[in-house]
Amino acid sequence: MTNPDIAAVFRRLADLMDLRGDNGFKIRAYRNAADVIEDHPTPLVELHSAGGSDESQAALQTLPGIGSAISQKIADLLATGTFKAYAEIQQEIPLSTLDLLRVEGVGMKTAQTLYRQFHLTNLEDLAKFIAGGGLDCLPNLGERSQEKMRASVEALLWSAAAVTQLSHRLQNATNAKDNEKAAS
């Protein structure tokens, strides 16, 4: 797992916590940790693998803003691919909810409203919400902003569908090639 991969996990955790309305100081600590991790020249996996458990924890804690709690989360992430707080919040809020933030015109406050008030957790639900006139329920959202959001959702869904289609075509081509090899 690379430093940018680790940083991405902490950013997603912070965003999910922000959607849930958690303590701003914790959220900021995870975002700051993500920045430090991403920019660190030494792979954290090397720092973690050096020495025993206590030594690797101490090595991780030499990074600015990385204390015992975050260093333990990094160690768990490197050892198992996840950690308790991240797994628990994903049980409560699907990761697909963060896709709402990819929509032009949707910031954290709008995403919070869409998730908390309307229980939207993915782009498909947002598209249905928009088609049903749901954007009229959002405060301070003019016609131009609504149109930008509508177009952005359509583009994101189209892009996802195109990627899925391409993936299926590549898989079918690979299977056909494998079948030809097996037949000869």
Side-chain angles (χ1 to χ4, degrees), residues 135-136 138-149:
L135 292 180
D136 293 332
L138 297 177
N140 305 320
L141 200 58
E143 196 171 313
R144 284 177 65 176
S145 295
Q146 288 185 23
E147 188 51 45
K148 282 183 183 178
M149 285 178 66

Side-chain angles (χ1 to χ4, degrees), residues 71-158:
S71 69
Q72 182 60 55
K73 287 172 176 63
I74 294 169
D76 291 347
L77 181 62
L78 292 172
T80 67
T82 193
F83 51 89
K84 185 178 177 186
Y86 189 56
E88 286 176 351
I89 201 164
Q90 287 181 76
Q91 292 297 315
E92 182 181 336
I93 305 171
L95 275 177
S96 61
T97 308
L98 296 180
D99 290 341
L100 301 176
L101 293 168
R102 294 174 45 214
V103 175
E104 185 177 348
V106 175
M108 186 55 74
K109 288 188 181 204
T110 302
Q112 286 172 334
T113 300
L114 293 170
Y115 171 70
R116 291 179 189 169
Q117 289 182 4
F118 302 105
H119 310 289
L120 302 180
T121 59
N122 58 55
L123 292 175
E124 292 80 8
D125 288 348
L126 179 57
K128 291 175 190 171
F129 179 77
I130 291 170
L135 292 180
D136 293 332
C137 300
L138 297 177
N140 305 320
L141 200 58
E143 196 171 313
R144 284 177 65 176
S145 295
Q146 288 185 23
E147 188 51 45
K148 282 183 183 178
M149 285 178 66
R150 188 175 293 107
S152 180
V153 169
E154 288 175 13
L156 288 167
L157 288 174
W158 182 86

Side-chain angles (χ1 to χ4, degrees), residues 16-79:
L16 290 169
M17 291 173 68
D18 209 349
L19 278 172
R20 189 169 65 183
D22 285 5
N23 179 311
F25 292 108
K26 273 190 172 183
I27 293 166
R28 194 171 317 113
Y30 288 127
R31 287 192 175 125
N32 290 342
D35 291 340
V36 167
I37 291 165
E38 188 168 50
D39 295 338
H40 198 272
T42 305
L44 266 55
V45 70
E46 288 179 20
L47 290 176
H48 177 258
S49 62
S53 177
D54 291 339
E55 291 172 9
S56 68
Q57 291 283 82
L60 292 171
Q61 289 178 34
T62 62
L63 299 170
I66 306 294
S68 61
I70 292 178
S71 69
Q72 182 60 55
K73 287 172 176 63
I74 294 169
D76 291 347
L77 181 62
L78 292 172

